Amino acid sequence: MKLIKSILYLSVLVVVFGSCSKKLDLDTPDQFSDDNYWTSENNVRTYNWGFYNMFAGFGTGTSGDFYFSSFTDDQAASTFQNFTLTPPTTSSDWDWTYIRKANIMLERIDKVPMSDEAKNHWRGVARFFRAMDYFNKVKLYGGVPYINNSLDVSETDVIYKSRDSRTLVMDSVLADINYAVANIRVTDQENTVNQDVALALKARIGLYEGSYRIYHTELNLPDAEKFLTESKDASEKLMAGKYVLGNYKTLYSSMDLKGNKEVILYKRYISGVLTHSVIGYTNSTTQMSGLTKSAVESYVTTDGLPVSQSPLYKGDNTIADVRENRDNRLLVTIGANLAYNGSLASGLSSSTGYLPTKFLQPASVQLAPQNETDAPIFYYSEVLLNYAETVALLEKLGKYTVTQADLDKSVNLLRVRAGIAPLVSTGIGAVSASGVAINDPKRDADITPLMWEIRRERRVELMMDGFRFQDLMRWKKGENMDKIKNPEAFLGAKVADNGKVLRNAQGYIMPYAASASRTFVDPKNYLSPIPTGQIALYPEGILVQNPGW
């Protein structure tokens, strides 16, 4: 069953389970009630399709995991973006709909006439989605109220409970995803949540939380090693040979990802049923959110060295120079022509001059929102990156020693695909490429050259994939979003004056007026504000706002 079928069931599921009470009042022949619904495994499967809407993929409008996630140091949106300055009244992120849906499913499974194996599988599926939802909430808010059972509207003492600690919530998330891994079927229906998907989510969760606890020392969070070890183990299970890297461009521009050996789970788009807008917004006269100078310079040259160290780097006086002798991923991600205010290319323009080309597919309908290419949700390249960073973090903790074999089975596979020289381990925290010790002058002083290159690989491999913002947050590198501290995140290509494009003194495009300012406030901006309307619903002093808000 494909992901798209979740949409077909959604309207039914809202009617069946949208009520806040534990039972529906109606029990007519053409309408299910809570009492007569849980009668078969097929009905449980139908109920579960609604969860799949949690996978954003390419989105359906101007939101989604790819391209539209432009609030990073990698892209300059066509209009200036800033951090939230005041807490909003409401937010769709502060919503427990899917949590309650999972809790209902867990409470009803025992009454369904199906095998114990089937019951355990579907418990695992419910716990998978509950883990994913709570994980997403913790990334935004830190500790949140943890609720593991469905609630009646009368249970106000639990509905209006205070926030639980990040430690409690993430330990519960880990317990859920471990149960999912142990009980979800190795193979269920095609392109649905299975054991490998659960392992991929576990690897993602473990890396995120383990690294967050290492770098955010002010929080004094325990058990970083525990989360990292769980991530490493999950990644290794997925690295046993079942998945292989394919064509980088194909991963992001395929009309059908079925059978792609790099893809663990994908979101299917079908004309007339569910479509998206990513192609339309990167192939139209609407100004695009281009890559920044910072992002483009993060791609190495073919000798595997940073542009600041490589004799192969030709500079950035022209787009041809920028692209020559560079990582193939850069050539896939930006076009061969610059396009900007006053100097359009076939009617196209980019905020930074660099045209995003990674998602283009001529076989698809070109107009938004009718694009039909499939979106990867979990994929092998992320698993390899998770593994590499996890072992480097365990080395930082003194619990592991990174070997050449670790690099060769993770980031070096990605570098080979990208046509660049591999990383060579030359000691703890040290690497070289093409016989030259790597020591990028732009490296943050608080991390090793090895970690810097692993982060670089993650950045360029997953460029515009929706990971970058939360990567900066977990690394405690929010300052990369600050205009004063990272000015190259607010610049574009180097171009000649044409009387219309705004440039700085060195000739680099300025996507925004010089007066536009973005300041990262620590610790305030590491977490989102809780909606004030939600705080007002609680008894005074129960739901506490995040620091700085």
Side-chain angles (χ1 to χ4, degrees):
M1 187 73 72
K2 291 185 169 63
L3 288 176
I4 187 62
K5 292 198 175 179
S6 64
I7 301 297
L8 306 179
Y9 292 109
L10 184 58
S11 60
V12 174
L13 296 175
V14 169
V15 172
V16 175
F17 299 105
S19 171
C20 289
S21 62
K22 289 189 175 179
K23 293 187 178 181
L24 298 176
D25 295 326
L26 300 178
D27 188 11
T28 57
D30 62 346
Q31 190 169 10
F32 287 117
S33 72
D34 192 31
D35 288 329
N36 68 21
Y37 183 79
W38 303 97
T39 57
S40 69
E41 181 177 0
N42 190 56
N43 281 7
V44 178
R45 187 183 299 280
T46 299
Y47 181 84
N48 125 96
W49 291 130
F51 288 120
Y52 283 72
N53 293 298
M54 295 170 65
F55 298 121
F58 286 143
T60 55
T62 56
S63 62
D65 291 335
F66 301 85
Y67 176 72
F68 297 116
S69 53
S70 57
F71 187 55
T72 70
D73 57 344
D74 284 341
Q75 287 175 269
S78 56
T79 57
F80 180 71
Q81 294 176 307
N82 205 348
F83 290 100
T84 299
L85 300 178
T86 58
T89 304
T90 63
S91 171
S92 59
D93 294 315
W94 190 270
D95 183 277
W96 266 249
T97 299
Y98 287 115
I99 300 296
R100 184 171 190 271
K101 180 179 175 68
N103 289 337
I104 289 173
M105 183 169 164
L106 288 166
E107 291 169 2
R108 305 301 191 268
I109 282 175
D110 270 342
K111 69 196 302 185
V112 181
M114 55 184 175
S115 68
D116 288 342
E117 179 277 334
K119 290 179 179 179
N120 289 336
H121 167 76
W122 291 110
R123 287 191 193 99
V125 170
R127 294 183 71 170
F128 170 93
F129 285 109
R130 186 170 69 181
M132 187 170 77
D133 201 353
Y134 269 120
F135 172 52
N136 290 336
K137 285 175 168 53
V138 168
K139 286 190 291 184
L140 290 173
Y141 299 111
V144 294
Y146 187 78
I147 299 170
N148 61 1
N149 58 287
S150 65
L151 300 174
D152 190 270
V153 292
S154 64
E155 298 177 81
T156 56
D157 58 327
V158 182
I159 291 173
Y160 297 111
K161 66 178 291 189
S162 61
R163 300 168 67 180
D164 288 297
S165 69
R166 183 186 187 111
T167 301
L168 183 149
V169 178
M170 287 308 298
D171 281 347
S172 302
V173 166
L174 185 59
D176 272 352
I177 197 61
N178 275 335
Y179 183 93
V181 167
N183 290 279
I184 290 179
R185 291 166 179 156
V186 174
T187 303
D188 191 42
Q189 291 190 352
E190 180 188 336
N191 197 37
T192 57
V193 170
N194 58 26
Q195 187 179 79
D196 284 355
V197 175
L199 285 166
L201 178 60
K202 179 180 174 179
R204 183 182 293 180
I205 289 170
L207 171 60
Y208 186 94
E209 189 61 17
S211 59
Y212 198 99
R213 295 183 183 207
I214 287 175
Y215 294 117
H216 286 264
T217 55
E218 75 282 3
L219 300 178
N220 295 312
L221 295 168
D223 297 329
E225 181 188 353
K226 175 180 73 175
F227 280 93
L228 293 172
T229 300
E230 295 276 10
S231 177
K232 176 178 177 290
D233 291 346
S235 296
E236 286 180 316
K237 287 181 172 64
L238 293 169
M239 294 164 63
K242 180 177 179 180
Y243 299 98
V244 294
L245 297 176
N247 180 276
Y248 182 71
K249 170 72 171 176
T250 299
L251 181 63
Y252 300 100
S253 61
S254 176
M255 295 297 291
D256 189 352
L257 283 172
K258 180 180 179 180
N260 189 305
K261 296 298 185 182
E262 187 173 351
V263 177
I264 303 170
L265 186 74
Y266 64 96
K267 188 160 187 172
R268 188 86 172 101
Y269 290 88
I270 301 174
S271 179
V273 182
L274 181 67
T275 53
H276 63 84
S277 300
V278 172
I279 294 173
Y281 275 84
T282 54
N283 192 29
S284 73
T285 55
T286 300
Q287 188 171 72
M288 301 170 206
S289 302
L291 263 61
T292 62
K293 182 176 186 289
S294 172
V296 171
E297 291 185 354
S298 68
Y299 290 84
V300 300
T301 47
T302 53
D303 56 10
L305 297 173
V307 295
S308 58
Q309 289 188 264
S310 176
L312 298 180
Y313 181 54
K314 299 299 183 182
D316 56 9
N317 285 328
T318 68
I319 185 63
D321 287 343
V322 169
R323 289 167 52 91
E324 188 170 349
N325 301 328
R326 297 296 290 279
D327 186 322
N328 284 336
R329 291 168 293 194
L330 177 63
L331 310 187
V332 168
T333 302
I334 63 170
N337 298 296
L338 295 177
Y340 47 93
N341 291 338
S343 298
L344 305 184
S346 301
L348 306 179
S349 71
S350 161
S351 61
T352 64
Y354 295 116
L355 291 170
T357 55
K358 178 175 176 177
F359 307 105
L360 298 181
Q361 171 52 263
S364 171
V365 174
Q366 297 296 294
L367 295 176
Q370 301 170 33
N371 309 148
E372 310 139 285
T373 48
D374 289 351
I377 302 297
F378 291 102
Y379 36 112
Y380 192 43
S381 51
E382 186 208 343
V383 172
L384 299 178
L385 292 163
N386 291 345
Y387 177 83
E389 187 177 348
T390 296
V391 295
L393 286 167
L394 287 169
E395 181 174 81
K396 176 181 173 66
L397 293 177
K399 303 298 182 180
Y400 191 83
T401 299
V402 177
T403 67
Q404 186 63 44
D406 289 318
L407 299 179
D408 288 344
K409 68 181 183 182
S410 58
V411 289
N412 280 343
L413 294 178
L414 301 172
R415 290 169 75 93
V416 167
R417 175 168 73 171
I420 58 178
L423 293 176
V424 177
S425 175
T426 57
I428 294 178
V431 285
S432 68
S434 297
V436 178
I438 297 178
N439 190 17
D440 189 345
K442 293 187 177 180
R443 173 173 61 87
D444 293 333
D446 59 344
I447 63 172
T448 65
L450 170 64
M451 183 62 81
W452 183 252
E453 295 309 310
I454 288 173
R455 288 186 183 182
R456 181 200 304 280
E457 280 300 310
R458 185 174 182 89
R459 184 181 190 180
V460 301
E461 180 73 27
L462 303 178
M463 186 67 69
M464 297 188 290
D465 287 16
F467 290 93
R468 182 65 176 175
F469 179 83
Q470 285 298 340
D471 283 343
L472 294 176
M473 296 302 104
R474 65 186 175 89
W475 294 332
K476 205 178 180 184
K477 293 296 179 183
E479 63 189 28
N480 284 31
M481 302 280 288
D482 190 296
K483 185 178 180 181
I484 299 299
K485 296 178 179 178
N486 189 21
E488 291 188 350
F490 296 80
L491 296 174
K494 192 174 187 178
V495 298
D497 184 23
N498 63 10
K500 294 183 179 181
V501 66
L502 186 63
R503 306 182 307 149
N504 71 359
Q506 291 73 43
Y508 293 100
I509 292 175
M510 297 171 58
Y512 317 115
S515 59
S517 179
R518 182 196 296 155
T519 302
F520 184 86
V521 181
D522 182 357
K524 176 181 179 179
N525 293 131
Y526 279 113
L527 294 174
S528 297
I530 296 173
T532 56
Q534 289 297 318
I535 294 175
L537 291 174
Y538 283 66
E540 187 174 355
I542 297 298
L543 187 59
V544 179
Q545 185 58 275
N546 273 324
W549 293 101

